[in-house]
Amino acid sequence: MSLNALVIDDEKSMLFILSQVLEGEGFEVETVSSGREALNRVEGRRFDLIVTDILMPGELSIRGLIESLEEAGQTAPLIVISAYWDSSMELRAYLEKKAYACLKKPFDINEFRRAVRRAIRKESRT
Amino acid sequence: MAGNASTSKTARAKAGAARPRPSGKSAPGARAVEKNILNSRDYREEFISIISDELRTPLSIIKGYMDLASEGILGPVPEHLKDPIDQSKACADRLSRLIDNLLHISRLESGEAHFKFQSVSLHTLIYGTVAGFAKQMKKKGLKADVRVAPDSPLVLVDEEKMREVAAHLLRNAIQHSPMGGRIRVAAGPCPAGRGKKPKGPQRASSVRLCIEDEGEGVAAGGREAAFEAFRQMENPLTRKNEGMGLGLAICKKVIEAHGGAISLRARKGRGTAVEAVWPVDPLSVRSRQGD
C-alpha cells in the first residue's frame, strides 16, 4: 500500500515540483492551495506526510493550521517550507518544536528528498 | 504554472488582506499599515519580508524546475542542455546567497539579528565547513592545509552564524586563489595576545581562525574598506569575481557580536590572510564588562 502525502501551497509550480519529488519517493500526492482546503481534505482521513508552505492566502495562519491539524488528530510528520525562516525567532522556535523539518526557500530537491525519507523512517519506527 | 501568483503575495499583504503575517498574527487594517510604513523599523521589516518572499519564492521555483530537469524527471535531457541547466542551477544558488547576504547585513546593521549561543567544538565547526567546499576546491585544483589545534577548547558561539563566517572566508579564499593554489586554514586557542598558544594547563580565553590564500592580495588602501558593506576591492568594470562585497562585512559584524575582532593581512600579489579572534565565552566577557 502506498503512502499518502498532502501538499499545501498557493504556488502551483511549487505544488508541481514537490509532487514530482514525492511521487518519485512512492507517495500518492494530493495538493491544496490553502490551509482551509487542507483542513477539509484531512477530515476523517489519515495522511503519512504533510508538506506546507508557511504563508498562504486566507485567514488561517501556519499556527492556526498546525493547531487545527492537531485537533483533527493528524499525527503525520510535517515539513514546513518557508521564505521567512529568518524573520521571526518566535515563529522559528515554534516551528522547530512542531514540524519534523523546516526548509528555507530556495531549497535543493535533494534536501527535500532527504527530509522526506528521514520523516518516513521516523514515522515507521513510532 | 506559477504565473502571477508570486507577484501578488506582498501586494495582498500590503493591502491588508486576510493573509497571515509571518508572526502568525492577523494583518492590521489599512490605517495601521500606513502608520507602520512611516515607522522606519517596520518599514525595514516590510522591506526584508518583500525580499524574502518576492525573491526567494520565485527563485525556489526556478531552482526546483532546474533540479527536476537535471535529474531527468521532466524527461530525458539532451546532452547539449546539460551544461546550460547546471549553469542555471549555479546562478540560482548564487542569487540565493546574495539574497541571504542582503538580509544578514540588513539585520546585523540594524541590531535586529538574533544570536543563539551554544557550546561548539572548534574541530566540528572548521572541518565541517571545509568539507562543504571540497567540490569547489577540487574544481580549481586547490589544496587545503587545515590545522585545528588538538587542545582547542569548546567555544560558545552562534553555530549557524559562525559557520557562515568560516564559509564566507573560505569561499573568498577559493575565489581569489589561482588554479592549483594552496589554502591554509588554522584555528586554535590564543589566550594572551594574538597568535600565542597557552602554556601548561592554562585555559585559553580566546580562539583564532585564520584563512590564508595565495591570491592576488589587496593593495594597502583596500584593507580597511574590505570590511565595509558593498565595497568591492576590484574595479567593477573589470572584476573577475562575483558578489556584492558583503561577505567580509557580515564576518566583521558577527565576530564583533561575539566580542572579537577581524583583520586582514595582505600585500598586492602576495596573497591574503584574514584572521578572526574572539573570546571562548563571549557571554561571560559581556557580563564582566557590565553589558
Side-chain angles (χ1 to χ4, degrees), chain A residues 10-11 13 16-17 20 53 55-58 60-61 63 83-84 86-87 89 91-92 104-106 109 113, chain B residues 1-2 5-6 9 12 18-20 22 24 52-53 56-57 60-61 65 67 71 73 96 100 107 114 160:
Chain A
D10 63 333
E11 295 278 0
S13 288
F16 176 79
I17 292 163
Q20 289 293 306
D53 188 12
L55 275 181
M56 282 163 295
L60 199 60
S61 71
R63 281 174 195 266
Y84 284 95
D86 309 313
S87 296
M89 290 306 281
L91 182 63
R92 183 170 169 165
K104 187 175 85 173
K105 287 182 179 178
I109 64 167
R113 199 175 271 136
Chain B
M1 300 296 156
S6 63
K9 283 191 166 188
R12 282 203 303 266
R19 181 184 182 77
S52 287
D53 197 35
R56 277 183 175 164
T57 298
S60 67
I61 292 169
Y65 278 126
D67 283 344
E71 288 193 9
I73 293 173
S96 171
D100 282 344
R107 290 229 159 78
H114 301 277
E160 196 180 315

Side-chain angles (χ1 to χ4, degrees), chain B residues 89-109:
Chain B
K89 279 172 68 178
C91 284
D93 287 339
R94 189 173 145 192
L95 260 178
S96 171
R97 273 201 306 278
L98 290 176
I99 295 165
D100 282 344
N101 287 348
L102 268 175
L103 294 174
H104 289 171
I105 199 71
S106 165
R107 290 229 159 78
L108 287 163
E109 288 193 334

Side-chain angles (χ1 to χ4, degrees), chain A residues 76-119:
Chain A
L78 183 71
I79 296 179
V80 175
I81 292 166
S82 168
Y84 284 95
W85 194 229
D86 309 313
S87 296
S88 162
M89 290 306 281
E90 191 201 343
L91 182 63
R92 183 170 169 165
Y94 174 78
L95 292 175
E96 276 175 345
K97 200 171 132 197
K98 293 287 182 181
Y100 178 76
C102 300
L103 300 182
K104 187 175 85 173
K105 287 182 179 178
F107 56 90
D108 191 291
I109 64 167
N110 278 321
E111 201 184 337
F112 175 60
R113 199 175 271 136
R114 280 195 295 272
V116 169
R117 287 177 186 170
R118 282 198 308 268

Side-chain angles (χ1 to χ4, degrees), chain B residues 162-183:
Chain B
M162 213 42 112
R163 275 186 192 275
E164 280 169 23
V165 168
H168 276 304
L169 298 182
L170 204 53
R171 192 177 294 112
N172 268 355
I174 293 169
Q175 205 170 59
H176 292 277
S177 286
M179 294 293 283
R182 182 178 293 275
I183 292 172

Side-chain angles (χ1 to χ4, degrees), chain A residues 41-60:
Chain A
R41 195 64 69 92
V42 300
E43 213 172 295
R45 299 182 57 196
R46 190 187 178 281
F47 282 89
D48 299 292
L49 180 72
I50 297 176
V51 180
T52 182
D53 188 12
I54 204 170
L55 275 181
M56 282 163 295
E59 74 284 10
L60 199 60

